[in-house]
Amino acid sequence: MKSAEELVEELKSALPGVDVALVVNPSPSAQHSLRVAAEDALRVAAYLRDQAGYDYCSNATGVDWLDKETSEKVKTTRTVSKQVDGVEQMVEEVVEETVKRVEPGFLEAVYHLYSMKRGHSDPHPPLVLRMRTENRADRVELPSLTPVWRSAEFQEREIFDLYGIVFKGHRDLRRLLMWEEFEDHPMRRDYVDPDDYEYEPTPHDEVLKRAEEHRAQMAAAEGAR
Amino acid sequence: MSGTGIQSFLPPVIDVEAGEELLEVAMGPHHPSTHGVFRMDVALDGERVVRLKPVFGYLHRNHEKIAEKTTYLASMPYTDRLDYFCSMTNNWAYALAVEKLAGMEVPERAEYLRVITAELTRVQNHASAIGFLLQEMGASGTPLMYAFREREKILDLFEALSGSRMMCNYMRFGGCRVDLPAGWLDRAKLVVAGLPRFIDEIEALLTSNEILMARSQGVGVLRPELAVNAGVTGVMLRATGVNYDVRKVDHYGIYDRFSFRVPLGDHGDIYDRYMLRVLEMRESVKILEQAMAQIPEGPILDPKSKPRGFRPKPGEAYGRIEAPKGELGFYLISDGSGNPYRYRVRPPSLINLTILEDMCLGQNVADVVLIFGSVDIVLGEVDR
């Protein structure tokens, strides 16, 4: 089987205009992945299955990447006026500044592919395929790869359930593990456990304190209504 | 999918004549054949199944979230509870994924211990799966009790080794937790020496049994193309004739040192699955005999492995093994901290159920129980 680097080149020449990039994995496992743009995903997946031999999608899962704030120290040169030997002069000075940048978060769908027909004769690491949503809030749609690999059917339902990625083209996108009336997506990194202090049978210590706060809040809400 | 030119493998829709009324039956969550809490919403036309929707989640506890909130090692005992019949293979799959992530070596003796415990697990799982299948076929008691008699001997070995019969928590990153106690290997050799006789006994009782053949041959047939596309693994896949066994494909551990064969089916029906489980038990006995004869002395844990303060470098890894139920994989992302950023279990039991509807459509409702039983699932792993 071809390595991920070779596959990127092959895909770019076979499917003109396709948006595929190699994501290097620094860990000792060295399982590199292909990141594909959502609008090209179905085309790439069909090519990988029918031409590149990846007929088996082993694993499909989601990953939640929160907004990442990075701070970077940047050296800039500025001209400032300074007293040098009693005379005012314009002097260039190097100043260190901290620049903060926020990389917006996104949800990611990850697929692990193998080849069953080449498996025994040609041992290979998994080919990892990744897709990103535009953000984590309202633009969370990705194309479903179930038309290509049926094994993603329940797994995409699980991703929808636990991460909230909406797979377009999935024929039966319902929650898989949580009940249908449930509203949140529990596997997200910023998920907050539901407030169930009311049901604490014997509140004690810290829980008792929080339970009292909770009851005060509930009473205030009742009064406001 | 029409229009895009991609060949898809979605289930057929069975036509129902206009005016006909369907009977909707909720099989489960407390149906005795569902091995736990699992529901199938079945629509019946007479006795014929025209729709079947599995409903999951009754045993869901978000194992993955719990694992992401704790350290790498602290999830090891929890993996026992996924497929609680096969804690040893669950441990191995998780340890393998972490070893890939952190680039760790496993000492020779530990590799042998892993093979021995994993193959013992496979034997007891397949024996019990056959027992449960026959139980559902109406052979109440005898085959299951035969299987459990043998399973008990293996669980006693596990208890002597790890301190627990089912929740073994035996493996560690870079090796195993404890070495064999004195006399364990001789005891295990006795148990393994008795296994061929047990398998002969099961075969004499069942293989040419007329009722088993009548109820299982040609029932629940799965096509190989569909099985591959739907990610079906393990016995279910090989019963359709696809030669794919992760032990042979990935050569993980030290499986390339043993001579064993991968039994393949021909028809992809329930009978083939039964037969394959019997044959795989025989191959496991072969592996066990070789491994127990070859096992060397030496350390059982990589001296560089740190049980405390374990922080793999940032990156990700997917590790998989051939568990008795199919391909069990773990996908881990590390951000350099002590907890995994992402911890994912690829559960073979759940993914093997993708094609449950396809196998059951058009069959009698009485056969649904058998088809479901032949998949061999554990709800602890399906729902996680």
Side-chain angles (χ1 to χ4, degrees), chain A residues 68-87:
Chain A
K68 203 158 76 181
E69 194 174 275
T70 46
S71 57
E72 201 180 357
K73 287 203 169 148
V74 184
K75 282 185 182 168
T76 46
T77 359
R78 276 190 302 192
T79 357
V80 273
S81 60
K82 240 182 184 180
Q83 293 274 338
V84 183
D85 303 330
V87 188

Side-chain angles (χ1 to χ4, degrees), chain B residues 109 113 116 120 153 157 160-161 180-194 288-289 291-293 295 297:
Chain B
R109 186 175 171 83
L113 290 174
I116 291 170
L120 283 171
K153 294 177 191 166
L157 287 177
L161 179 58
L180 299 177
W184 190 90
L185 209 55
D186 295 327
R187 250 179 90 187
K189 278 178 183 162
L190 270 181
V191 171
V192 173
L288 280 167
E289 282 166 352
M292 290 197 294
I295 182 168
E297 291 296 322

Side-chain angles (χ1 to χ4, degrees), chain A residues 25 28-29 31 49 56 58-59 61-62 64 120 130 147-148 150-151 155 158 163 186-189, chain B residues 7-9 11 62 65 68 100-101 229-230 233 243 248 316 318 327 341-342 344 346 351 358 384:
Chain A
N25 178 359
S29 73
Q31 295 169 352
R49 186 189 73 178
Y56 166 45
S58 167
N59 180 40
T61 188
D64 184 11
H120 280 263
R130 327 176 79 95
V148 182
R150 175 106 186 268
S151 56
Q155 304 190 67
E158 187 181 321
Y163 282 95
M187 278 302 284
R188 289 204 182 186
R189 303 289 294 187
Chain B
Q7 190 202 357
S8 297
F9 292 85
N62 218 341
K65 187 84 174 178
E68 283 169 19
K100 278 191 182 210
L101 182 70
N229 193 265
T233 44
N243 187 4
K248 290 277 190 192
E316 59 172 63
Y318 181 66
E327 177 186 316
Y341 185 84
R342 178 76 179 100
R344 151 84 176 161
R346 186 243 185 231
I351 295 159
D358 301 65
R384 284 159 292 133

Side-chain angles (χ1 to χ4, degrees), chain A residues 20-136:
Chain A
V20 188
L22 181 78
V23 183
V24 175
N25 178 359
S27 100
S29 73
Q31 295 169 352
H32 307 303
S33 39
L34 305 185
R35 188 169 65 231
V36 57
E39 60 271 18
D40 293 330
L42 213 54
R43 209 151 59 105
V44 169
Y47 182 87
L48 288 175
R49 186 189 73 178
D50 297 332
Q51 312 298 327
Y54 288 98
D55 52 355
Y56 166 45
C57 172
S58 167
N59 180 40
T61 188
V63 188
D64 184 11
W65 300 96
L66 294 172
D67 294 352
K68 203 158 76 181
E69 194 174 275
T70 46
S71 57
E72 201 180 357
K73 287 203 169 148
V74 184
K75 282 185 182 168
T76 46
T77 359
R78 276 190 302 192
T79 357
V80 273
S81 60
K82 240 182 184 180
Q83 293 274 338
V84 183
D85 303 330
V87 188
E88 191 149 305
Q89 278 184 336
M90 300 300 282
V91 179
E92 290 212 331
E93 198 185 46
V94 179
V95 190
E96 242 184 32
E97 278 183 343
T98 318
V99 181
K100 277 192 180 167
R101 247 186 310 196
V102 178
E103 285 178 38
F106 53 88
L107 300 167
E108 197 171 34
V110 184
Y111 298 79
H112 286 85
L113 313 175
Y114 288 95
S115 173
M116 272 199 184
K117 56 186 168 201
R118 304 283 298 279
H120 280 263
S121 56
D122 190 6
H124 51 275
L127 178 72
V128 192
L129 196 66
R130 327 176 79 95
M131 295 190 279
R132 287 179 177 185
T133 61
E134 283 178 47
N135 60 24
R136 301 176 64 253

